[in-house]
Amino acid sequence: MSKCRSLPALVLLVAMLLSLLTGCGMVSTVDVYDGANFIPIEPASNVPVSVLGKEDFIADQNGMPVCKSETFLAQRGVDVSEFQGDIDWEAVAATNVQFVFLRCGYRGASEGGLSEDQKFADNFEKAHAAGLEVGVYFYSQALNEDEAMEEAELVTQILDGRTLELPVMFDWERNDTVEGSRTYSADGEAVTDAAVAFCRRMERAGYDTGVYMNLNTGYHTWDLSKLADYTIWLSDPGPYPRFYYKADYWQYSFTGTVPGIRGNVDLNFRFLPRES
């Protein structure tokens, strides 16, 4: 038999093999948006997939998303730091805001020093007094597990046994705007291990924990298979969450306005399963 005549059979054989591999899960990709481009990914087998999509959201009169999902209830919240200055928490609580994430501290983007957020104690006391559910976040620039443990120890000291209704979030961000940024070329596996170390330390202190991420770090930095047991807080401003994987919290705007807070503030949803 000539080589030409054997070619269709070879193509068919390859197609059958690819079909079998795909059916077994060995070759299976999906196209996702990473904040800049559509890219193919091979989904992590142990990470829950999002069931929320464009059809679950509409825009209100101000262009902000409203969740219409029949599966999830979306509570509204904000996240703040010392940059918001003095906040009238009673005025905030009088709106439809039900929870808040407070920055408790941070590591410098270039010099790497550790600091407490200067408004944390005041914000914590007054937000709780106003009846809001409170969680905290630490702005991390850790490069390894040792630095993440330093950050976790500082958070433990700052909290000093305070009760939280919501998790302590590891807010690691790849900083590409500060000259001399220590995280610009950070290794994803090392950063993931740092996040796990931070979360485990906070769990030992008695707190629920989680990791903050955007689309880019979610797909290009984190090893999500190692973070499957933790709360995910997605930053993806827009009309609906575009992350392929399940997010427990969604930061949908950097430019929100809320009575009691001067200037712009980050707006969030917390997704809770509706009772059947």
Side-chain angles (χ1 to χ4, degrees):
M1 183 181 292
S2 70
K3 292 181 180 180
C4 291
R5 290 186 178 181
S6 66
L7 185 58
L10 179 60
V11 171
L12 179 61
L13 178 60
V14 171
M16 291 175 62
L17 287 173
L18 287 174
S19 177
L20 288 172
L21 290 173
T22 300
C24 294
M26 294 180 65
V27 177
S28 180
T29 62
V30 295
D31 288 333
V32 299
Y33 183 66
D34 69 355
N37 302 289
F38 283 92
I39 62 168
I41 65 166
E42 185 173 344
S45 61
N46 66 327
V47 181
V49 173
S50 175
V51 297
L52 290 170
K54 183 178 182 179
E55 66 279 3
D56 295 303
F57 296 86
I58 61 173
D60 65 14
Q61 64 273 20
N62 298 314
M64 291 296 180
V66 176
C67 183
K68 307 298 291 184
S69 170
E70 296 181 357
T71 306
F72 289 94
L73 172 69
Q75 295 180 333
R76 291 186 183 271
V78 297
D79 63 90
V80 302
S81 70
E82 62 190 40
F83 295 114
Q84 274 70 43
D86 294 327
I87 295 174
D88 183 345
W89 286 106
E90 293 293 338
V92 174
T95 69
N96 58 3
V97 170
Q98 296 175 274
F99 70 89
V100 58
F101 278 106
L102 306 173
R103 189 178 74 164
C104 63
Y106 60 95
R107 184 187 288 274
S110 55
E111 82 289 351
L114 298 177
S115 301
E116 178 177 352
D117 187 288
Q118 295 302 303
K119 297 297 295 182
F120 170 72
D122 184 63
N123 282 334
F124 180 89
E125 178 183 354
K126 293 177 179 177
H128 254 150
L132 297 174
E133 290 190 290
V134 176
V136 304
Y137 70 94
F138 185 90
Y139 179 78
S140 171
Q141 295 284 275
L143 299 180
N144 51 53
E145 293 181 58
D146 289 342
E147 290 191 346
M149 289 296 290
E150 291 176 354
E151 296 173 353
E153 292 299 333
L154 176 60
V155 173
T156 302
Q157 295 172 23
I158 292 171
L159 291 177
D160 192 27
R162 289 179 172 90
T163 297
L164 298 176
E165 293 76 33
L166 306 180
V168 176
M169 304 300 294
F170 184 73
D171 173 17
W172 188 93
E173 301 181 38
R174 190 180 297 279
N175 196 315
D176 58 2
T177 60
V178 175
E179 185 176 354
S181 167
R182 66 201 318 271
T183 59
Y184 181 77
S185 58
D187 176 72
E189 286 298 322
V191 171
T192 300
D193 291 341
V196 172
F198 179 96
C199 289
R200 287 177 176 171
R201 176 64 183 91
M202 299 316 305
E203 287 177 331
R204 291 197 297 273
Y207 296 104
D208 292 331
T209 62
V211 179
Y212 173 96
M213 63 186 66
N214 58 31
L215 296 176
N216 185 278
T217 55
Y219 294 125
H220 298 292
T221 298
W222 301 111
D223 181 349
L224 295 175
S225 65
K226 294 182 179 180
L227 304 178
D229 293 333
Y230 300 114
T231 297
I232 298 300
W233 181 8
L234 172 67
S235 174
D236 180 27
Y240 64 94
R242 296 170 292 181
F243 200 39
Y244 178 77
Y245 298 103
K246 175 179 177 288
D248 304 282
Y249 295 85
W250 172 39
Q251 188 182 65
Y252 62 86
S253 177
F254 298 147
T255 57
T257 56
V258 173
I261 302 177
R262 293 193 299 272
N264 292 333
V265 65
D266 298 339
L267 302 179
N268 300 267
F269 277 132
R270 175 192 185 189
F271 297 117
L272 297 173
R274 291 185 183 274
E275 295 182 3
S276 58

